[in-house]
Amino acid sequence: MNDTITLQRQLKESLQIQEDEELNIDKIQNIASKLIHHHLSNNRVSAARAVILVIESICQPMGQLSYQYGRVCIREGKYQKAYTLFNNIGYINWKILVYLLPLEYLINNKLPNDLIWEKYPILEPLKPLFNAIKSHNVKLFKSLINYNAQWLNK
């Protein structure tokens, strides 16, 4: 709870400027990203959405904030918006791919090719999930989701 209050205070202070000052957009987005991550970790999606609405009123989310925004969209079931946000981040890392690969299948019905597993070995736990999807094996898919739940929540 103290983390939330501290982050909220920092964000509020960053948004309050004097007449001769300019907003430090990078600082605001960094604090907002941490606050959204904290809200999502505590399953407070509506609070995370409120932070996004404040930020969108002053600037376009980018970078790490876009990643957090995409995570909020997934929680809200807005998969197309999340897919767009993850694709527009400008860089790809394994954390983004954990979300982007399933969204790619959900939206475009496109499964990852074998090169992705070679390029990002950390994603190896996802490979059996997609193999289960390819083989239309729902029972195996459900068991793998349960088995990999801890890894996916890192």
Side-chain angles (χ1 to χ4, degrees), residues 57-140:
S57 71
I58 58 169
C59 65
Q60 184 67 29
M62 52 189 154
Q64 184 65 20
L65 187 57
S66 289
Y67 169 72
Q68 298 298 347
Y69 189 4
R71 291 180 63 214
V72 171
C73 290
I74 287 173
R75 295 271 186 99
E76 294 175 333
K78 298 175 182 172
Y79 303 118
Q80 185 66 50
K81 177 73 174 176
Y83 180 74
T84 302
L85 285 164
F86 288 135
N87 268 320
N88 291 336
I89 287 177
Y91 63 91
I92 296 291
N93 66 25
W94 73 271
K95 288 183 179 181
I96 294 169
L97 287 172
V98 165
Y99 294 104
L100 195 54
L101 292 175
L103 288 171
E104 179 75 26
Y105 177 72
L106 182 67
I107 293 167
N108 298 324
N109 204 24
K110 185 177 175 187
L111 292 167
N113 62 30
D114 290 334
L115 294 176
I116 198 81
W117 313 122
E118 293 171 19
K119 188 171 181 179
Y120 299 96
I122 196 163
L123 294 174
E124 193 67 33
L126 291 177
K127 188 175 182 178
L129 293 170
F130 284 101
N131 289 337
I133 292 169
K134 283 180 186 176
S135 65
H136 304 285
N137 190 336
V138 176
K139 185 177 179 180
L140 175 61

